[in-house]
Amino acid sequence: MSKVLILGANGKIARLAEHIFIDTTDTDLRLYLRNSGRLKDFADSHTLVETVEGDATNVQTLIEAMKDVDMVYANLAGGNIEDEAKAVVEAMHAEKKTRLVWISTLGIYDEVPGKFGEWNNKTLGSYITNYAAAAKVIEDSDLDYTIIRPAWLTDKPEVDYEVTQKGEPFKGTEVSRRSIAQVVVDISQDPDKYKRESIGVNKPNTDGDKPAWY
């Protein structure tokens, strides 16, 4: 039995992953978020789940939350994402933790081709720059990271995806949050999967100038 620390545990992808963990694995979950009351009912109804309240830039709180965990899954967002990356890396070093799954975004390497790439860069703007800086912090560390770069996210109840590697052109325009959540859970069950890789994740056959639903 393993234990996973989920940072940003109230995020949409994180919530889906939490349910997949509970429904399909025997993994213990430690849920880290600013307001633990948001997930109190979920934690109270599952013996394998506990909550911790804290900010993802608070290194000491992160260190405490990382005790006894086997993997850290960071589902963080916001303008201070680079600071959060630095805090997570520092805390993992302090606790001698190595396995990190980090949710990023598409476009951080200017890897999205064609008109969709132009549209994506224009639409996301500084969001890409901030996430690129955070990803560099992770990649420059000695952690066994997996950086996940999802396409534009949908709420479709499906697991349907393909993967591209850093250095390859990004494919497709969209992917379901459920697919990303499943990738995270799969990595937790096979920690060597995508180790020290930055992967683009998209739904096959969704190429276009922008996501069809946008």
Side-chain angles (χ1 to χ4, degrees), residues 39-197:
L39 296 181
K40 183 179 185 302
D41 290 345
F42 178 72
D44 287 349
S45 60
H46 298 287
T47 58
L48 300 180
V49 179
E50 62 178 311
T51 59
V52 176
E53 198 163 279
D55 189 285
T57 59
N58 188 319
V59 175
Q60 192 55 48
T61 310
L62 287 169
I63 288 172
E64 291 299 318
M66 287 179 187
K67 294 187 185 302
D68 304 321
V69 305
D70 301 289
M71 187 181 94
V72 177
Y73 156 39
N75 195 100
L76 302 170
N80 62 341
I81 190 73
E82 183 180 4
D83 291 338
E84 291 174 333
K86 291 175 180 176
V88 169
V89 171
E90 183 178 344
M92 290 186 71
H93 282 155
E95 270 301 299
K96 297 181 170 56
K97 304 301 178 184
T98 59
R99 195 64 177 100
L100 171 66
V101 177
W102 181 269
I103 304 297
S104 186
T105 191
L106 73 168
I108 61 172
Y109 310 119
D110 198 25
E111 79 277 22
V112 185
K115 290 185 177 180
F116 175 52
E118 295 173 7
W119 177 87
N120 185 68
N121 289 343
K122 182 179 179 181
T123 304
L124 293 181
S126 62
Y127 184 89
I128 294 177
T129 306
N130 293 338
Y131 273 73
K136 188 174 189 306
V137 171
I138 304 300
E139 290 179 295
D140 286 349
S141 76
D142 59 355
L143 299 176
D144 291 329
Y145 63 81
T146 302
I147 295 173
I148 298 177
R149 295 173 281 116
W152 282 69
L153 294 161
T154 75
D155 289 318
K156 294 177 182 177
E158 63 186 13
V159 175
D160 185 9
Y161 68 89
E162 61 184 347
V163 167
T164 53
Q165 294 289 339
K166 181 179 180 180
E168 297 178 340
F170 197 93
K171 292 183 179 181
T173 59
E174 67 179 58
V175 71
S176 70
R177 289 181 173 86
R178 187 171 296 276
S179 294
I180 303 302
Q182 188 64 59
V183 173
V184 172
V185 175
D186 289 348
I187 292 170
S188 78
Q189 304 304 296
D190 180 8
D192 287 335
K193 192 178 184 72
Y194 305 128
K195 187 163 69 174
R196 289 194 66 82
E197 294 180 15

